[in-house]
Amino acid sequence: MRTYLMACAVLGALLVTGLLSPFTDAEAETTTTTARPACRAEIDGSTGRVACRNETGRTARVQLHIECRRWWDIDVDGEPVTLAPGKSVRLADRCWAEVRKAWVSFPR
């Protein structure tokens, strides 16, 4: 029983420190390739803005979405924009009245 507990403790320590990964090489590769551009959203009254910087080393696509506060105001889904590695982009759009929230998606 003591040997089993000791083995579990050693295995747990290896997993926590990262010396032993529960992923195969293929799974680890797909996990690291899902990196996304860093984006920051901002709301100013009836305008929603987002600034994104692509530091992933590969081309990415970003798309601005805005949810308007008023029920009669139509929500906005901007066009997807292709963002080259090392480049930045600023996207903005607006509602007639106030913006409830603004966010970015990463379409393929």
Side-chain angles (χ1 to χ4, degrees):
M1 183 69 174
R2 287 179 130 178
T3 307
Y4 176 75
L5 291 175
M6 182 62 95
C8 288
V10 169
L11 182 59
L14 289 174
L15 287 172
V16 168
T17 59
L19 295 176
L20 181 65
S21 173
F23 301 110
T24 63
D25 288 341
E27 289 172 331
E29 186 175 313
T30 57
T31 303
T32 57
T33 58
T34 59
R36 295 182 172 162
C39 296
R40 184 190 62 212
E42 167 185 297
I43 297 172
D44 182 21
S46 63
T47 303
R49 293 181 189 88
V50 67
C52 294
R53 175 119 179 114
N54 186 5
E55 296 292 343
T56 63
R58 60 187 170 80
T59 302
R61 288 169 46 98
V62 295
Q63 182 177 10
L64 173 64
H65 303 277
I66 295 177
E67 183 179 316
C68 301
R69 185 171 302 278
R70 309 292 179 176
W71 65 268
W72 47 263
D73 209 347
I74 299 173
D75 296 341
V76 178
D77 292 319
E79 289 293 319
V81 175
T82 302
L83 189 56
K87 298 293 182 180
S88 297
V89 67
R90 291 177 186 245
L91 304 172
D93 218 323
R94 57 176 294 140
C95 297
W96 282 98
E98 304 88 22
V99 171
R100 176 172 291 160
K101 63 182 174 178
W103 70 96
V104 175
S105 67
F106 303 94
R108 294 189 180 258

